[in-house]
Structures are given as C-alpha cells and as structure tokens.
C-alpha cells in the first residue's frame, strides 16, 4: 500500500508509523493462531498486516473510503481477512462478528471517536473478550483511575472490564504527529458487569447525577442531579455506608454499587434515562 495516502483532518487521522509500538500492541493482545480479531481504524495497514499473519479470522473496519478500498485490494488474496467500509460507532456488531464467535478488539482510534467506540463495544450484547486500544494519554489515565481520581468514564470502563495502561506513545510515533501523547490501554472484558445491577441505564442515571458537580460533596451532587432533598441524599449515602461529605471522585466502583442499591430500595420506581451514559 502507498504510504503517501494523505491524512484527512476531518476524520482525525494520525497514522501509526512506529513498529516498536505495533509490537507493544501485538504483545498486549496475547494473540494465538486461532484468534478472531476485529480491528478498528486500520488506516494504512501497519497493524493489519501482522494481525493477518497471526490470526485465523480478521475483520478490519475503516471509515475512510479510499483507505478501505486500498486495503480491500491489498488483502484480496487472503480469505480470512475482511475489510469493511463502515463507521464503528454505528456498525451492526453481529454483521462483522458472528454472535457465537469470541473475538478480540484492537483499535487505533481517532481521538474524537474513541470514547463512543469503547463504550459501544463494552456495552454491547456481544462484547470482545479483550480490547487493546490507542487513546489520548489523559483519557487512558481516566479510564484506569483509582478512587480519588474517578470520573464517569472511570466507572463506565471499570464496570465492564479491568483496564491498565500498557505504554505511553509519543507524538513522533504518528504521521502527522498529534499535539498530545497517546497511550495503549488493555481492557480484560468481564463476561458480565462487575456489579449485579437490575438496570444498567438506571445505574448510570445515578452515577451521572453523582458527577453532576464533581467539586462538590457527594450529597450536594445527588441533591442536584437527582432532584431530591438533602435529607434524602444523606439517608441514601448513610444506608450505603458512605460519608456524605466525600467528593464523588473518591468513590470506588463498589461504592457506587452500594449507593445504587440504597437508591433503588428507596426509589424503586425511578425512571432511568437510557442515553445518560452516552451523552457524556
């Protein structure tokens, strides 16, 4: 493939060119010859080629029509490789990986689309067993944060899997070079969410309310975000064993689980908002 395919600013393209980083991604994915892999954002194919050599089935989703066409031509002789011209934020997952097939997801994501794509596949009925994704380093730190630095994204990621940062990636590893440092994140995806929830949507209604004013104490956040009285907010927190004066970023995933149980016990009729997570 030509390495002079121009990057499109409209698609946030920064092509990976550092083969040492490619090796780190491949190592983090723990690939075996029998693996099925879904690659998102193959670009010029720097990862696609070694993935094709190491797996039994590879599907690569590319939004850029020119790159998708070029990759289709390049891999036409390999029946186990399929190039799909589509938007990973919207593609029907069952159309790219059969529902009964376990798969790993590997992605070098444009910054503007990283969080929607990661959330989409973590929330999907047919989740990958493992994700290895390239994102902005600050996003990676947020995804992997411990209590004290938690956010909505931290909770959303850690509910579905165990994330860790594999490596930082400097701007010089890309062409054109972005203005920020990136990071490789490996997420071991749980078969089921880490918390036993009766409604994922209702849970994120609560969590979003809790982070509605992160600098405030958590009882104030819940008052504001859930439109309840101070007494009601403090009672729920007390029932969950949480000091009302704590800040929301100090709560662990399991604290949120305890708070959710207390909230649902007192407000079982709560109307969840299904889009609450995706709106952030």
């Amino acid at each position: 493939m030509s390495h002079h395919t121009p990057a499109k600013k409209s698609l946030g393209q920064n092509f990976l060119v550092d083969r040492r980083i490619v090796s780190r991604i491949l190592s983090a994915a723990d690939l075996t010859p029998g693996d099925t892999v879904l690659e998102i954002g193959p670009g010029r194919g720097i990862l696609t080629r070694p993935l094709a050599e190491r797996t039994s089935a590879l599907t690569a989703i590319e939004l850029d029509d020119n790159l998708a066409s070029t990759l289709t031509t390049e891999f036409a002789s390999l029946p186990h490789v399929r190039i799909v011209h589509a938007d990973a934020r919207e593609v029907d997952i069952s159309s790219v990986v059969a529902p009964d097939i376990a798969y790993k997801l590997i992605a070098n994501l444009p910054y503007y689309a990283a969080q929607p794509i990661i959330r989409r596949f973590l929330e999907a009925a047919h989740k990958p067993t493992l994700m290895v994704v390239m994102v902005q380093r600050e996003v990676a730190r947020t995804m992997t944060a411990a209590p004290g630095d938690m956010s909505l994204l931290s909770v959303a990621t850690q509910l579905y899997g165990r994330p860790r940062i594999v490596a930082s990636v400097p701007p010089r590893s890309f062409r054109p070079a972005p203005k920020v440092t990136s990071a490789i994140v490996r997420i071991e995806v749980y078969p089921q969410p880490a918390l036993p929830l009766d409604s994922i949507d209702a849970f994120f209604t609560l969590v979003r309310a809790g982070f509605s004013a992160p600098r405030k104490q958590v009882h104030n956040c819940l008052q504001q975000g859930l439109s309840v009285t101070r007494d009601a907010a403090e009672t729920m927190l007390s029932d969950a064993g949480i000091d009302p004066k704590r800040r929301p970023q100090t709560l662990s995933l399991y604290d949120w689980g305890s708070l959710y149980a207390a909230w649902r016990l007192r407000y079982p009729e709560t109307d969840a908002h299904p889009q609450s997570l995706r709106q952030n």
Side-chain angles (χ1 to χ4, degrees), residues 15-120:
F15 297 118
L16 182 63
V17 295
D18 189 335
R19 296 192 180 280
R20 292 170 299 178
I21 300 303
V22 171
S23 295
R24 295 298 297 272
I25 293 171
L26 295 172
S27 176
D30 292 334
L31 295 171
T32 65
D35 280 343
T36 293
V37 170
L38 180 62
E39 182 188 10
I40 296 176
R44 295 171 176 165
I46 191 171
L47 259 170
T48 314
R49 297 181 195 94
L51 286 173
E53 295 170 358
R54 290 166 170 78
T55 59
S56 62
L58 170 64
T59 297
I61 302 175
E62 176 55 56
L63 180 57
D64 185 308
D65 53 352
N66 291 329
L67 289 171
S69 176
T70 304
L71 287 167
T72 298
T73 300
E74 178 175 355
F75 291 98
S77 63
L78 299 178
H80 71 293
V81 178
R82 180 166 63 126
I83 309 299
V84 176
H85 176 216
D87 187 335
R89 294 170 295 179
E90 301 174 357
V91 70
D92 177 2
I93 296 174
S94 64
S95 73
V96 291
V97 183
D100 59 339
I101 299 294
Y103 70 101
K104 296 177 178 179
L105 186 149
I106 297 177
N108 177 20
L109 300 171
Y111 295 148
Y112 73 90
Q115 293 186 47
I117 290 172
I118 291 169
R119 288 174 178 172
R120 181 151 195 261

Side-chain angles (χ1 to χ4, degrees), residues 207-234:
V207 177
R208 186 178 178 194
F211 283 107
S212 59
R215 296 181 183 275
K216 293 186 177 181
Q217 295 175 352
V218 68
H219 71 89
N220 285 322
C221 300
L222 294 178
Q223 284 176 249
Q224 175 180 314
L226 297 177
S227 298
V228 297
T229 66
R230 176 173 181 146
D231 283 348
E234 291 188 348

Side-chain angles (χ1 to χ4, degrees), residues 145-167:
D149 295 303
M150 297 284 279
S151 70
L152 178 61
L153 179 60
S154 313
V155 174
T157 305
Q158 294 172 33
L159 175 66
Y160 291 107
R162 182 182 296 107
R164 68 176 176 85
I165 296 175
V166 173

